[in-house]
Structures are given as C-alpha cells and as structure tokens.
Amino acid sequence: EMPNLSFYKDLFNDDFLLLEELKNTEHDSIWHSEGNVDIHTNMVLTEVYKLIYQEYEDLDIENKKILILAAVFHDIGKAITTQIVEIDGKTRVVSPRHEEVGANYIAGKLIDYDLKYSTILSIINIVKYHQIPKLLIIKNNTEQYKFLDLSNKCSLQLFYLFGIADIKGRECYDKNQQI
C-alpha cells in the first residue's frame, strides 16, 4: 500500500504546517463533492500512484518524486486563500490565486530537503501552473507559445499526468468531459 497524505504530513513534520489545515479547508461542492481539500489531496495522490506504478512505470525516479510531491502540495495554498462568497445569488467557495500562494509557500521550504534543484523547480512549477494546461485546452487555445512557455517550466508529460490525476482525484458532474 502506498503512503497517504498523513505519511507526508509526518515526513515533513513542522515544515509545512498548512498541510494540517487542508482538512479544515472547504471545497465548492460543484467542483469537489468529495469533500474538503485533505480528501481531494489524498485522492489525487492515489491517482498519481496508479499512473506512475501501473501505466507509466517507466518514468524515472525523479519524475515520480515530482508527481508525488506535486500531488501533496498542489492545493496547499487553499488553506490560506479559501473564502466563501456570493456569486449570482449563490454561496460559493473560492480560492483565488491558491496556486501562486502555494508555490511561494513551498519554494523556500523544499530547499531544505535532499532533492535536486531541477526536481524542486518542477514541483514548484506544477503547483503554480497546474490549472493552466486544462484551461488552455478547454478554451481551445492553440497559441503555440503558451504551451512552449509551459514546457520551459516543467515537462509537458508531467503537466499532463498531473492534470489527469487532479481530475480523477475528485468527484464532480463533468469529470469525464474534463478528462
């Protein structure tokens, strides 16, 4: 059995205290009917394990580390950006700029771990830009430079694999359409 989020909370001990807040961080039920951010993060981690140990087992160890740690940290910024707002007369849960906030939060802390600099940079960039590939596709944006820009931040294969895990690791009405 693969380690769940609790394992990583223990592993990182007090360096990433926001991981403990994920269980107290709500999600909008339209996009995440599975529950809070902690539940979603565990589900994404499970999907990453399935991808890297079943379908893409030939990925090297650094790429596996990147995907696992990106899963652990991808929504950590929601712990401090999540708010309840009213949109069109309906109560909604939003987390504006959670990607950038999360990337900034983990950036200085990952340096203290025995990880290659390129690995750390890829983790930070997946956290910071994890929604961009899906948005480019949904908006049918074929401007090549946007994908080229992403490819300079991290391997497009890793962005793709993480995106699949992020969608599969949730419960929402349009999951299959998103995939």
Side-chain angles (χ1 to χ4, degrees), residues 161-179:
L161 293 175
F162 183 79
I164 293 295
D166 192 23
I167 295 166
K168 286 185 172 182
R170 70 179 71 203
E171 294 302 327
C172 59
Y173 72 94
D174 65 344
K175 184 173 9 183
N176 290 334
Q177 182 185 350
Q178 285 192 49
I179 291 171

Side-chain angles (χ1 to χ4, degrees), residues 36-130:
N36 64 37
V37 179
D38 192 88
I39 292 167
H40 166 65
T41 301
N42 258 313
M43 290 172 71
V44 173
L45 199 50
T46 299
E47 293 299 329
V48 162
Y49 289 141
K50 286 181 194 171
L51 285 169
I52 66 176
Y53 293 115
Q54 293 169 16
E55 296 177 55
Y56 294 87
E57 61 273 333
D58 58 335
L59 277 178
D60 68 33
I61 190 70
E62 289 305 312
N63 285 325
K64 288 178 179 177
K65 281 184 201 174
I66 290 164
L67 287 169
I68 290 167
L69 293 175
V72 168
F73 295 122
H74 80 284
D75 279 347
I76 197 166
K78 287 184 176 181
I80 46 181
T81 62
T82 297
Q83 48 193 284
I84 297 171
V85 298
E86 192 174 300
I87 301 173
D88 297 329
K90 293 187 172 109
T91 301
R92 302 295 302 270
V93 179
V94 296
S95 306
R97 297 181 53 245
H98 76 274
E99 306 91 340
E100 185 179 346
V101 169
N104 288 333
Y105 177 77
I106 67 171
K109 299 172 185 295
L110 285 175
I111 298 290
D112 295 335
Y113 289 85
D114 186 23
L115 296 165
K116 292 181 179 177
Y117 179 73
S118 59
T119 298
I120 292 170
L121 203 55
S122 291
I123 295 164
I124 292 166
N125 282 330
I126 289 177
V127 169
K128 186 171 182 177
Y129 301 106
H130 70 269

Side-chain angles (χ1 to χ4, degrees), residues 129 132-137 139-154 156 159:
Y129 301 106
I132 300 300
K134 182 173 73 172
L135 292 175
L136 289 176
I137 292 165
K139 293 178 179 176
N140 202 16
N141 190 323
T142 56
E143 297 169 28
Q144 293 296 316
Y145 75 90
K146 294 200 174 182
F147 288 99
L148 183 62
D149 185 49
L150 268 181
S151 74
N152 288 324
K153 296 176 186 338
C154 182
L156 290 180
F159 272 121

